[in-house]
Amino acid sequence: MIAGPLVLVAAIALATAGVEDALAMPLRHLYVAPAAWAALRSGSSAAGLVGLMAGFCQGLQAFPMIERGGLTPPTLDALVSLMAPLVVGIALGRLVDQARERGGRLDALLEIQRALGGEEPLEVRLERAVTLIRAALRAEHAGLVLQADDGTLAVVGSKVSGAFRKDSAAGRVLAAGATILVGDLDADPRLRSKTPRWPTPSRGLVLPLDTGSGRVGVLAIERSGDLGPAARRSVRELSLHLALAVENARLLLQERRFAQELEDKVDQATRRLREIDRAKSEFLSVVSHELRTPLTALQGFSELLLERVVPPDRARRYLGHVRTETQRLGRIVTDLLDLSRIEAGRPLELRPERVDLAASPSLYRGPGGRRAGRGVRRSRRSGSHAQA
Amino acid sequence: MRLLTAPFDPSARVPSALVRPLLEVALIAAGSIDLLLTADTLAGEWRGLGRAAASGGSHAAMIAAGWVIALGGAPRWRMPAAASAAALIVASVAARLAPAGAVLYFLVPLVLARQAGSTRLDTRWIGWARPQTSRQVVLGVAVGGFLGLHLLLAASLTLGYTASVLSLGGYLAGVAYDVGANALSVGWLFHGALFSALWRRWTFWPAAAIATGAGLLRYLVDPTFPTAPEAAAGAVFYLTILGLASCALRAWSGSVLPGYLATLAFFAAYRALHV
């Protein structure tokens, strides 16, 4: 990755080699170019290395001149140009590193948000988010503990071999909210581990996922090598965004649940309306049938009386039928009017009436054989008729 | 993930067990070196031998300090430290008696490796392990070789020093000293044990700076360190870069071997430099 800049350093060194008055030569300022190239291409580490090589190359010319002439303005200028590639390279490289890191973090956040807001089950989405976090932070392991409003926990992480413990580092951060940094997971007395094992220390960092209005969980990472202030700052920033992403996912979930509930209610109401509609249709069909029966009788008897010669006693009996059916029709119409009154919420017109209980035992006993309710007074008069 | 599943006690503290054994090493080393230097002034025929033994003793003290750190101050450090010290002192005296005796210096790394292996002491964490790839070894040699070559060029161009091997025997004896004492003790203690212990607490740069500073201090108190200001400034410059490079190689490869080889390559060039 730095072969190109190194070749350029070598080329500049060859071009300036053997020149007597190298200090006065503007060509030496070109050493900044490969350092800047390395910085833009590969960041601060590569730029530092190229800058160091440029310094070494310039030193072979500058040191003898300093030895010969002492610290004069030209030799001081040579010292400055000796240091310039290193300083410029590292400074520019740091900026490039930071910009790339931020870009990478934003990309990771977008991916995490996308993963959390997916359609799959929550466990699958959290697993994917943890994988993305692990990759974004270049960590060996990452774990996420999310706490719901009712206190239930969702624990997702790579290599979570045992059960989550409330007295673990993550559990303590979840309870207290303070960040925990472990310098070496193999040799930290707080984790009851005393003997380091591996040449590269394994760092641990547990951060609360705080949205500003409360903790939604914790993020834990385990990473080999350095986890310096810049890296920790980066993790902290990511955890802030992650907390918001989790909160957004939670709100989205809530919204979906509300939408589902609303849909269920609308479905239920629609079903009920359909049932009512069907009941009304049935009712109308029954009413039509009930109206048609006396009307048919009325029509039949009236046609008989009009079109045939009927003996008087039979005509009288027919007229009796006509009266009975007319009364029946009247009762049906009265009942319909009462029903419409009930539906409209208007009071019923009650008419006290004498009823022969013996003739209508169901009125006294009520349906299913129960006693009639309030307002039905029973009295027994002489004779065989019971009246209410 | 231990952060999720292992119990965590925020108040747990383990007192450092290093202070007492390190003091022990310092006292034994100071006493022995003082005694040997005194012996060096007493008898004429012993002159030089005491000094050589004291030199071996000082390197042995560094190796012992490395053992103390590597084993976390556990009492087991004494036996391997004593074995390394014996090998170093014998090699140092043998080299003093005859240049061919310097070959015994090659035994010191073997003794150290045997002690680390046979007693099953886990010294992997300080980098006493194989590097992950052979490329890391090559890079270590390249870094040391480059610095050494640059030193030769800069010193010859700037100070007029000459680069030559006046006596092959003397040169090889010097290289053997680097293999068994100089580079080994520096690599074992400063770039291995000290750097690893510090790196576990802090990040790379503070740990590397302190380990390199301590290593530099070791050279500054060395009686063979150049006395001329410009040569001393040059030595400090190269040793600082070499120290930082060795720490970086140790961190990158997980082994002290690339840094050790870098130091060897640098000193191999340095020993060819003459005023």
Side-chain angles (χ1 to χ4, degrees):
Chain A
M1 285 196 293
I2 55 167
L6 284 177
V7 168
L8 187 57
V9 167
I12 298 168
L14 284 173
T16 55
V19 178
E20 192 58 38
D21 194 9
L23 287 182
M25 202 168 59
L27 202 62
R28 72 175 193 274
H29 295 298
L30 281 179
Y31 277 114
V32 175
W37 180 8
L40 292 172
R41 193 166 168 182
S42 310
S44 60
S45 304
L49 192 62
V50 171
L52 200 65
M53 297 305 279
F56 276 126
C57 290
Q58 289 191 79
L60 291 176
Q61 293 172 321
F63 292 155
M65 289 173 187
I66 293 167
E67 180 64 18
R68 278 199 301 271
L71 283 176
T72 57
T75 54
L76 281 174
D77 182 49
L79 273 179
V80 169
S81 68
L82 187 147
M83 294 299 293
L86 186 66
V87 175
V88 170
I90 288 178
L92 191 62
R94 288 285 302 159
L95 291 175
V96 170
D97 286 347
Q98 281 172 5
R100 281 187 186 157
E101 205 172 291
R102 264 194 202 145
R105 215 160 49 224
L106 281 175
D107 283 348
L109 269 171
L110 278 175
E111 287 292 318
I112 290 165
Q113 269 179 337
R114 221 170 276 159
L116 285 174
E119 294 292 328
E120 298 93 342
L122 187 67
E123 288 77 19
V124 177
R125 282 182 278 156
L126 289 175
E127 285 280 0
R128 193 178 301 159
V130 165
T131 308
L132 289 165
I133 292 165
R134 199 156 59 89
L137 299 175
R138 295 193 300 275
E140 269 77 36
H141 309 301
L144 205 55
V145 182
L146 298 179
Q147 190 171 31
D149 293 334
D150 59 357
T152 52
L153 297 174
V155 183
V156 190
S158 54
K159 285 228 173 173
V160 183
S161 50
F164 171 72
R165 293 178 65 125
K166 287 197 170 169
D167 63 344
S168 66
R172 289 186 189 279
V173 173
L174 193 64
T179 301
I180 290 177
L181 174 68
V182 180
D184 187 5
L185 292 164
D186 290 324
D188 195 306
R190 294 176 298 174
L191 281 163
R192 297 178 194 168
S193 49
K194 293 174 189 170
T195 318
R197 284 183 295 177
W198 307 110
T200 306
S202 187
R203 322 282 188 187
L205 183 63
V206 191
L207 294 143
L209 296 179
D210 208 328
T211 55
S213 57
R215 271 191 299 284
V216 293
V218 296
L219 167 69
I221 61 158
E222 292 179 2
R223 183 166 119 173
S224 280
D226 270 356
L227 192 62
R232 290 204 295 273
R233 206 167 39 245
S234 168
V235 179
R236 205 169 293 123
E237 276 178 33
L238 186 68
S239 76
L240 277 173
H241 290 290
L242 189 63
L244 290 174
V246 168
E247 189 64 9
N248 282 345
R250 185 178 285 185
L251 288 173
L252 190 71
L253 203 69
Q254 223 166 24
E255 194 186 299
R256 279 183 191 162
R257 207 164 46 224
F258 285 154
Q260 187 62 46
E261 277 174 16
L262 197 67
E263 201 181 309
D264 289 350
K265 277 183 182 165
V266 168
D267 272 357
Q268 214 174 346
T270 310
R271 264 201 311 275
R272 206 173 149 208
L273 281 173
R274 275 190 195 134
E275 275 170 20
I276 289 170
D277 195 42
R278 197 169 57 243
K280 275 200 170 173
S281 301
E282 277 176 18
F283 175 74
L284 279 176
S285 153
V286 170
V287 164
S288 309
H289 180 72
E290 289 293 320
L291 287 172
R292 183 168 289 277
T293 310
L295 276 175
T296 310
L298 285 173
Q299 192 181 3
F301 286 120
S302 56
E303 277 175 4
L304 273 175
L305 287 169
L306 282 171
E307 290 169 11
R308 291 188 189 178
V309 179
V310 180
D313 56 333
R314 189 178 286 182
R316 189 175 176 77
R317 203 170 70 233
Y318 286 172
L319 284 171
H321 285 314
V322 167
R323 191 178 64 180
T324 308
E325 292 304 319
T326 310
Q327 281 170 346
R328 188 177 166 191
L329 196 63
R331 274 200 308 275
I332 290 171
V333 171
T334 307
D335 283 350
L336 282 173
L337 284 171
D338 282 349
L339 192 67
S340 120
R341 245 179 235 283
I342 290 167
E343 276 192 344
R346 282 181 292 174
L348 285 174
E349 284 179 13
L350 295 173
R351 294 185 308 278
E353 204 173 310
R354 287 185 182 279
V355 180
D356 185 358
L357 292 178
S360 315
S362 65
L363 187 66
Y364 170 61
R365 279 286 170 193
R370 285 185 292 118
R371 286 174 69 90
R374 277 183 190 175
V376 179
R377 190 162 53 85
R378 194 177 67 154
S379 66
R380 187 176 280 276
R381 295 253 180 106
S382 55
S384 61
H385 291 136
Q387 292 183 325
Chain B
M1 266 193 87
R2 279 170 284 181
L3 292 172
L4 266 63
T5 55
F8 183 85
D9 180 7
S11 58
R13 295 276 182 280
V14 174
S16 173
L18 295 178
V19 179
R20 197 188 153 111
L22 281 177
L23 274 175
E24 215 175 305
V25 168
L27 282 173
I28 293 170
S32 310
I33 291 165
D34 189 48
L35 210 68
L36 290 164
L37 289 175
T38 310
D40 192 58
T41 56
L42 283 178
E45 60 195 58
W46 289 91
R47 186 175 294 274
L49 288 182
R51 190 178 296 269
S55 163
S58 60
H59 288 294
M62 287 194 278
I63 300 270
W67 273 114
V68 168
I69 296 171
L71 302 179
R76 294 174 297 169
W77 66 269
R78 290 193 181 90
M79 185 54 90
S84 307
L88 264 165
I89 292 169
V90 167
S92 188
V93 170
R96 173 72 189 173
L97 290 171
V103 80
L104 289 180
Y105 274 121
F106 289 109
L107 293 177
V108 181
L110 299 177
V111 169
L112 199 57
R114 188 176 163 73
Q115 288 297 317
S118 67
T119 52
R120 291 182 185 172
L121 303 171
D122 198 354
T123 47
R124 268 179 307 175
W125 76 272
I126 66 160
W128 192 256
R130 278 185 199 160
Q132 290 152 357
T133 60
S134 54
R135 210 180 65 170
Q136 293 165 335
V137 174
V138 173
L139 189 72
V141 176
V143 168
F146 172 78
L147 282 174
L149 196 68
H150 194 272
L151 168 75
L152 293 180
L153 280 169
S156 57
L157 289 171
T158 310
L159 306 171
Y161 290 1
T162 53
S164 63
V165 177
L166 300 176
S167 146
L168 189 63
Y171 178 78
L172 289 176
V175 171
Y177 164 75
D178 291 333
V179 169
N182 175 27
L184 185 69
S185 60
V186 166
W188 171 262
L189 174 61
F190 299 112
H191 308 147
L194 185 62
F195 169 74
S196 301
L198 294 173
W199 195 26
R200 260 153 225 286
R201 285 173 177 272
W202 304 316
T203 52
F204 171 79
W205 283 108
I210 293 176
T212 303
L216 198 60
L217 200 65
R218 167 255 176 274
Y219 284 110
L220 288 174
V221 298
D222 194 315
T224 59
F225 192 75
T227 47
E230 60 273 16
V236 167
F237 171 75
Y238 285 106
L239 288 172
T240 303
I241 290 175
L242 183 67
L244 290 174
S246 296
C247 290
L249 286 165
R250 152 71 187 86
W252 176 55
S253 67
S255 167
V256 289
L257 187 62
Y260 171 66
L261 292 175
T263 311
L264 280 181
F266 174 77
F267 277 99
Y270 168 75
R271 298 210 177 276
L273 204 61
H274 299 281
V275 180

